[in-house]
Amino acid sequence: MLNNEQRETVRVAEAHPADRHLVDDLERSLDDAAPPRLARNAVPRELLAPASVRGLTRMTAEEWAMMISLWGAMAMAPRWLWPLLVLPLAGRFHALGVVLHDATHMPLRRKTAGVRAVEIFCGYPIASTLNAMRYHHIRHHRDSGMHTDPYFKSGDRGAWWWIRNTLLRGVVLVPFWSIRPLAGVVALVVPTLRNFYGRVFLQDKSGDDLRHSRELIDCARAELGQLAFLALVIAATVRWPLALTAGYLIPVVVAAVLAARRVLIEHNYERVSDRRVDTIIATTNDNHLGLLGAVMLAPRNIGYHIVHHIHPQARLESLPRLRAWYG
């Protein structure tokens, strides 16, 4: 039960839904920044169709069908072959994150049953809610390369920089994100912890006081489902330690390493001060557009990253044709 102070905090936050339209704000920001010769509105509309709930649920079902097949193969194979199945499994967990990522770009006002299914089956297994990923990912697109970009990586680009930002970050990512739901649930009822929750776990770099942010409160509330999933994983691991470790825990950590590596090479990490299309092209990179990318390194066309940054609401299936249109 919330006390009077906590009820008042929630009431004030709900009266100031300033962060409810981040996706729309992102689109307006990019439109305002586009120079005439690279006008975003010159692209044929059929190439800019947004993601649909039906499309996202279809991709989710496809990924789970592939994972179930791989788990079946693991159950029948001798244990010495299990390491060979970890990499394709990791690729499918990586793909779950990409599907959830596409959902973050939808201008949702509420979570329908289909959206919740995507969150549960794509987000929870990789230790993320739709709200949490949306919080930092949309800000990355809006402020890419700026001081408020949550994904900006500073450093001398040497060997240690690569190790730190790929292997080390990837290995600790899922365990770190698994702490996030507990921090969020506590922050939901203890307003003084919301700045900590937002800055540490949601990567907020705005410097704002987040105690009354409706968006952050929504993120914290969404952590209840993630916390329940985490409890199920812990219970299942205690009951079937070898199967859960080989079939889930190791592949999902490998997937996090793959995702950390992908994000690292998708951007040039140069400080910028505008959102112009030519700036996006200069600071963003395509990667792994072939078979290896589809299987593991950049699944579901996320490797078409330049046009994804230019048109973040365009569905994943449209990105290859969109890239061809830009030439």
Side-chain angles (χ1 to χ4, degrees):
M1 297 294 292
L2 302 179
N3 60 33
N4 291 336
E5 178 184 356
Q6 292 160 350
R7 291 194 189 96
E8 177 63 15
T9 298
V10 173
R11 186 192 67 77
V12 171
E14 291 178 342
H16 297 82
D19 298 323
R20 298 290 287 179
H21 308 293
L22 272 175
V23 173
D24 297 334
D25 175 64
L26 169 59
E27 289 293 308
R28 285 192 297 269
S29 297
L30 292 173
D31 279 333
D32 292 343
R37 66 184 181 86
L38 290 173
R40 295 168 76 244
N41 58 15
V43 178
R45 302 309 298 174
E46 62 268 19
L47 298 181
L48 301 179
S52 66
V53 175
R54 176 177 293 183
L56 293 174
T57 54
R58 173 184 53 79
M59 288 190 286
T60 301
E62 290 170 352
E63 293 301 336
W64 271 89
M66 285 185 277
M67 288 195 300
I68 290 171
S69 298
L70 289 166
W71 284 327
M74 184 174 283
M76 294 184 291
R79 291 180 182 177
W80 62 268
L81 281 178
W82 286 8
L84 297 179
L85 296 171
V86 165
L87 287 178
L89 267 173
R92 293 357 295 160
F93 280 110
H94 191 181
L96 292 184
V98 174
V99 175
L100 182 71
H101 141 274
D102 218 28
T104 69
H105 286 287
M106 298 177 68
L108 300 171
R109 298 295 176 262
R110 65 186 182 87
K111 292 181 183 178
T112 63
V115 172
R116 289 191 182 278
V118 171
E119 180 176 44
I120 291 169
F121 288 100
C122 290
Y124 289 0
I126 60 167
S128 181
T129 65
L130 176 61
N131 299 72
M133 183 178 285
R134 185 189 186 102
Y135 193 102
H136 53 74
H137 188 70
I138 296 300
R139 284 167 171 81
H140 159 63
H141 273 274
R142 188 190 63 192
D143 300 338
S144 183
M146 299 181 181
H147 288 281
T148 48
D149 179 0
Y151 297 176
F152 191 89
K153 305 291 189 299
S154 59
D156 59 7
R157 307 298 191 274
W160 171 244
W161 185 84
W162 271 93
I163 293 172
R164 183 193 68 187
N165 288 297
T166 53
L167 182 60
L168 296 184
R169 285 178 184 267
V171 167
V172 304
L173 187 62
V174 172
F176 181 71
W177 276 2
S178 297
I179 301 171
R180 191 200 65 250
L182 180 59
V185 170
V186 174
L188 183 63
V189 295
V190 183
T192 54
L193 294 180
R194 290 176 187 164
N195 283 315
F196 171 80
Y197 169 64
R199 294 191 173 96
V200 173
F201 292 102
L202 301 180
Q203 305 176 64
D204 188 287
K205 293 188 176 182
S206 67
D208 297 338
D209 185 349
L210 304 173
R211 287 176 296 173
H212 306 305
S213 166
R214 170 62 182 271
E215 185 188 8
L216 183 134
I217 292 172
D218 285 346
C219 287
R221 187 176 291 115
E223 301 288 11
L224 291 167
Q226 182 72 70
L227 197 60
F229 178 85
L230 180 61
L232 289 175
V233 169
I234 293 172
T237 303
V238 171
R239 178 65 180 83
W240 302 287
L242 182 60
L244 265 291
T245 300
Y248 173 63
L249 297 179
I250 293 177
V252 81
V253 169
V254 174
V257 173
L258 296 176
R261 176 186 179 275
R262 174 179 58 78
V263 171
L264 195 66
I265 65 179
E266 285 171 347
H267 307 96
N268 294 332
Y269 301 105
E270 299 174 6
R271 287 296 186 191
V272 302
S273 58
D274 64 73
R275 302 181 177 92
R276 294 163 58 91
V277 173
D278 47 0
T279 301
I280 292 173
I281 293 172
T283 57
T284 312
N285 307 306
D286 288 343
N287 65 96
H288 300 103
L289 305 183
L291 179 61
L292 187 58
V295 172
M296 191 165 55
L297 300 179
R300 295 287 175 180
N301 292 330
I302 194 60
Y304 294 86
H305 209 69
I306 296 174
V307 290
H308 173 58
H309 263 264
I310 298 173
H311 299 282
Q313 275 194 293
R315 68 177 68 181
L316 290 168
E317 299 95 322
S318 298
L319 297 184
R321 289 188 299 149
L322 193 54
R323 181 179 187 267
W325 185 89
Y326 274 92

